[in-house]
Amino acid sequence: MNEKENAPIRIVLAKLGLDGHDRGLKVVARMLRDAGMEVVYLGLRQTTEMVVSAVEQEDADAVGISMHNAGHLTLAPRIVKALDDAGLNVPVIVGGIVPEGDLDAMTESGVAGVLGPGASAEDVAKCVREAVATRGE
Amino acid sequence: MANENSTVISLVENASKGDRRSVSRLLTLVERGGISAEEVAEATHKLAGKSHVIGITGAPGAGKSTLTASLAKDLATSEYKPAVLAVDPSSPLTGGAILGDRVRMEEASEAGAFIRSMATRGHAGGLALAVPGMVRVFDAFGFNPIIIETVGVGQVEVDVASAADTVVVVVTSGWGDAVQANKAGLLEIADLFVVNKADRPGASDARRDLELMIDLSQVTGQMSRRPEIVMTTATEGEGFDEFKKAIFEHKEFLFEGEQISVRRSNRWKAEVSSRLDYLLSEVAKKSMEDLEEKEGSSPGLIAREMAKNILKKDEFR
């Protein structure tokens, strides 16, 4: 009677700072819910600290950050580092508008996956599952 | 398994020193169930029993999250170390959930309250099976009070009454008339009523209907203490001081007399009962797997036959 194997993935979803476009994040939340995950939805105007404390208190398996303000080169590495500094081994997935030229920089800064506007529900769920499965390796 | 056990021991040790991440991990182990959950229960059982557990329940959109958030924030900024367990429903189709209570609890979290969201994971009645165990983890590591915010419930889901010391039922103006109030269920379990959105028309009617309902309950001698009714406009902070005062008055009432031990003993029984239900339902589910061949027979008869077969087996390990 051990339910451990089927425990759903828990993911924290947030938008950082001054970035009011949360339509995409809401759609992603719904996609992940329908893929059987538990989504801790933080919504708009979050700080790095708020995301870190949510991950800690919720014991989340992954973080999804949505960005539509071209801040990904600054903010995504900051989140990765803050989680790392806090000793939280949790993959960060970036969704939203990331130009192709920046994809390598995202990977280098430790972002586990990037999801653009064309991503399907399957793509989104698969990306999260893979990121969670490979964490800590 | 030895490894699992030593993990639990070291987590408990670190949690006792105030490490929040260990508390968080322990909550996860309890939530997942199984052997580690039993180990955590064992380890926290003897440390727990000091905290005041407040349950906040009511219909969807009544204002539970907003009231919970203001209470947690207020307590975290004074001498308390509150924890919030915010429960949201799991999708019955996919098992997934959107846990959105943190959106309203930002300030409480920043003030130092420990906020944990959880999904019902297929358990009806407004609370998840793991709630008592998770409350015990918070209790064991000095979180006090512990506020449980239930999913938005209707009239009959009264789980929270068996998990909390003080039950707050939140209603709004225009929620129903005297007849609704006299129906059985949610309203019978309240230690304190909050009429939220009191700035809207109909709030005083809601209050009057509740008073009437309580009067009748007292005639039949059903209540040990007359529940107070507080009017609030949670989004404006209106009535908050009265709300908080009423909660603490109820706490005093509980802890001064015999009441607290009565409640705790009922709580313990309720937890045993719900764990038993769970174990039985798991075995029942398993025996449903080869049902097809019996299709067409009387459902009641088949169920009885299956129950007989289950009870002969030693399935509960």
Side-chain angles (χ1 to χ4, degrees), chain A residues 1-4 7-8 10 29-30 33-34 36-42 44 46 50 53-54 56-59 86-88, chain B residues 4 20-21 24-25 28 31-34 36 94 96-99 102-103 106 109 113-117 119 121 278-279 317:
Chain A
M1 300 231 169
N2 199 333
E3 300 117 79
K4 209 172 233 178
R10 287 169 68 85
R30 182 58 194 265
R33 188 202 83 170
D34 290 347
M37 298 184 199
E38 290 181 358
V39 177
V40 179
Y41 189 83
L42 303 186
L44 294 169
Q46 299 292 304
M50 285 152 111
S53 94
E56 184 176 272
Q57 293 175 7
E58 302 289 352
D59 197 16
L88 295 161
Chain B
E4 283 282 327
R20 291 198 161 204
R21 186 151 333 135
S24 187
R25 284 299 307 164
T28 303
E31 191 178 22
R32 285 182 183 171
S36 318
T94 67
I98 294 179
L99 312 173
R102 279 193 100 88
V103 172
E106 256 165 33
S109 170
F114 192 123
I115 293 157
R116 178 67 171 234
S117 319
R121 297 199 179 167
Y278 173 74
L279 288 174
R317 295 186 176 277

Side-chain angles (χ1 to χ4, degrees), chain A residues 9-91:
Chain A
I9 290 177
R10 287 169 68 85
I11 180 167
V12 166
L13 292 186
K15 286 189 80 78
L16 298 168
L18 288 175
D19 180 355
H21 308 275
D22 62 350
R23 186 76 175 271
L25 192 65
K26 283 179 172 149
V27 173
V28 167
R30 182 58 194 265
M31 286 172 167
L32 294 176
R33 188 202 83 170
D34 290 347
M37 298 184 199
E38 290 181 358
V39 177
V40 179
Y41 189 83
L42 303 186
L44 294 169
R45 290 181 285 280
Q46 299 292 304
T47 63
T48 310
E49 292 74 27
M50 285 152 111
V51 172
V52 170
S53 94
V55 169
E56 184 176 272
Q57 293 175 7
E58 302 289 352
D59 197 16
D61 303 301
V63 175
I65 301 292
S66 155
M67 296 198 194
H68 294 87
N69 60 356
H72 53 276
L73 286 175
T74 321
L75 296 174
R78 194 183 289 167
I79 286 278
V80 172
K81 186 172 181 302
L83 288 166
D84 215 36
D85 289 347
L88 295 161
N89 176 20
V90 176

Side-chain angles (χ1 to χ4, degrees), chain B residues 45 50 55-56 70 98 111 123 126 129 136 141 143 170 182 202 228 243 247 311-312 315:
Chain B
H45 190 75
K50 295 180 279 289
I56 299 190
S70 340
I98 294 179
H123 204 63
L129 184 70
R136 200 176 299 121
F141 303 111
F143 289 91
V170 186
N182 278 308
E228 215 173 312
F243 168 58
I247 285 179
L311 291 172
K312 276 185 219 143
E315 299 240 20

